[in-house]
Amino acid sequence: TQLLEQSPQFLSIQEGENLTVYCNSSSVFSSLQWYRQEPGEGPVLLVTVVTGGEVKKLKRLTFQFGDARKDSSLHITAAQPGDTGLYLCAGAGRGTYKYIFGTGTRLKVLA
Amino acid sequence: GAVVSQHPSWVICKSGTSVKIECRSLDFQATTMFWYRQFPKQSLMLMATSNEGSKATYEQGVEKDKFLINHASLTLSTLTVTSAHPEDSSFYICSAGLDRLTPYEQYFGPGTRLTVT
């Protein structure tokens, strides 16, 4: 069974601070996605990474896929209250499009 | 584009009754749909993979006779929670995707909150 552990589980920071969320597994993934979910809503896709070592940027968010495709990180620069939410990574193994979700990181950015 | 809807958005039912939740892809045809459940303050847990015109594939530990999934068309999948009990209360979310995309991308519905009393 593929397991995706995210750290930290909870994070409360002040507006303007930087933060990094990690997503780790012992399994190799063919692709990995990051989502953000607001309370009472479905997750919204932020990015998909597929190549080991790949780095993608989305405004203040930087996503990296580990060289071995077993881990990933999400870095947020100058966090804003609008970044508050549950961040989820999800990985799919080779030959499958079934994504397994990570344990989640709940972020709260205080104004 | 790539909008997925769910109906109802929330439902309250009595213990022992059955509840049907619909998942529709509004502007694309989805060969595959996925059903997840999410307990408060937890991550999403994949329940089953639903392919149009064939039987759903259930994840380990998910009772297929309790959670009936039908994917009758390329735009509609339904999840029926049979003989619901309070422990079935949860947030149920579906996703749909185009499996010709590489990498595969799925689009999530807004979720259905089920409360069993």
Side-chain angles (χ1 to χ4, degrees):
Chain A
T1 303
Q2 296 172 325
L3 292 174
L4 277 166
E5 294 286 338
Q6 287 184 235
S7 61
Q9 282 187 298
F10 305 97
L11 191 55
S12 181
I13 61 173
Q14 293 293 326
E15 181 177 5
E17 293 184 4
N18 302 331
L19 67 119
T20 302
V21 178
Y22 299 94
C23 173
N24 294 293
S25 175
S26 58
S27 301
V28 175
F29 296 103
S30 60
S31 63
L32 191 139
Q33 300 180 328
W34 283 93
Y35 293 83
R36 186 173 78 198
Q37 185 182 24
E38 306 276 352
E41 299 180 10
V44 175
L45 178 66
L46 298 174
V47 77
T48 301
V49 286
V50 298
T51 305
E54 182 177 4
V55 177
K56 281 193 175 179
K57 291 191 175 185
L58 183 65
K59 295 184 181 178
R60 294 176 295 100
L61 278 59
T62 302
F63 305 87
Q64 184 162 10
F65 201 12
D67 291 340
R69 289 184 287 127
K70 294 182 178 181
D71 54 81
S72 180
S73 64
L74 157 61
H75 182 79
I76 301 179
T77 303
Q80 299 176 359
D83 296 326
T84 294
L86 176 66
Y87 287 83
L88 297 160
C89 64
R94 183 186 298 274
T96 177
Y97 41 75
K98 186 173 73 174
Y99 280 86
I100 303 300
F101 277 78
T103 48
T105 295
R106 196 166 296 278
L107 171 65
K108 187 169 186 178
V109 182
L110 304 170
Chain B
V3 179
V4 177
S5 71
Q6 282 184 240
H7 178 80
S9 55
W10 59 271
V11 58
I12 301 173
C13 71
K14 291 189 176 180
S15 187
T17 62
S18 295
V19 175
K20 180 185 285 189
I21 301 170
E22 293 185 348
C23 175
R24 293 181 185 272
S25 54
L26 298 184
D27 50 2
F28 66 102
Q29 293 185 327
T31 307
T32 305
M33 289 185 173
F34 301 90
W35 286 95
Y36 297 83
R37 66 188 297 182
Q38 184 178 32
F39 291 108
K41 300 191 185 302
Q42 294 188 22
S43 185
L44 278 70
M45 185 193 80
L46 180 64
M47 298 176 66
T49 303
S50 167
N51 291 298
E52 186 264 338
S54 63
K55 288 184 179 180
T57 302
Y58 290 81
E59 294 299 303
Q60 192 173 12
V62 178
E63 300 175 58
K64 60 182 179 182
D65 293 331
K66 181 168 187 61
F67 299 99
L68 300 179
I69 292 172
N70 183 279
H71 194 160
S73 77
L74 287 172
T75 59
L76 173 64
S77 176
T78 61
L79 167 67
T80 301
V81 183
T82 62
S83 187
H85 290 285
E87 57 265 31
D88 298 324
S89 298
S90 188
F91 193 49
Y92 292 87
I93 310 174
C94 72
S95 71
L98 298 165
D99 56 6
R100 67 172 179 267
L101 287 179
T102 304
Y104 186 81
E105 292 192 348
Q106 56 182 328
Y107 304 95
F108 282 84
T112 296
R113 183 159 303 282
L114 169 64
T115 302
V116 185
T117 61

